Amino acid sequence: MLRPTEIAEYGERHAEKWLTAQGYHCHHQQRQGIRDFEARGGENNLLVHVNTAIVPQHPTEISQHDHDSICSRAMMLGFDPWLAQVQIDNHGDLVGDIVWTKLK
């Protein structure tokens, strides 16, 4: 059984792998319990928040607190804020496609 921190880490790895395949360079930071990472690309820089769930559960929507924090930090950095919703199986493997949502 995966622990909550492991679930989050698998989700982040899958999101990072997808972005790396699109030409982004990713940099992780953990601050005050909020997990997000920066993805720097040629024309766009993203600040990505990842919500992950084990199937058959679906990833939750972003909380208002996390939304405000990500959007505020992205604005300060000049990045675009994004949410990645990831589903994994009991082994941490990706199930289906990552759902990407640009935050406003």
Side-chain angles (χ1 to χ4, degrees), residues 4-103:
T5 56
E6 293 172 319
I7 295 168
E9 288 170 3
Y10 277 115
E12 288 177 9
R13 283 188 217 146
H14 290 299
E16 180 180 357
K17 182 178 177 182
W18 188 92
L19 286 164
T20 300
Q22 307 307 310
Y24 287 89
H25 298 280
C26 299
H27 174 70
H28 290 264
Q29 292 183 343
Q30 183 170 0
R31 356 168 245 104
Q32 300 174 357
I34 296 176
R35 299 180 67 104
D36 57 40
F37 65 91
E38 298 173 8
R40 297 172 186 256
E43 295 182 23
N44 296 321
N45 293 319
L46 316 176
L47 185 62
V48 180
H49 181 85
V50 181
N51 284 350
T52 307
I54 297 176
V55 292
Q57 301 298 315
H58 294 282
T60 60
E61 293 298 322
I62 190 168
S63 71
Q64 189 64 50
H65 177 267
D66 288 348
H67 175 277
D68 294 347
S69 176
I70 296 298
C71 288
S72 174
R73 184 160 180 258
M75 185 182 296
M76 288 185 344
L77 294 170
F79 287 18
D80 293 327
W82 283 83
L83 170 65
Q85 293 174 295
V86 181
Q87 276 188 307
I88 60 172
D89 65 17
N90 288 324
H91 303 289
D93 295 323
L94 181 65
V95 175
D97 293 327
I98 299 170
V99 176
W100 295 93
T101 306
K102 186 172 183 180
L103 301 175

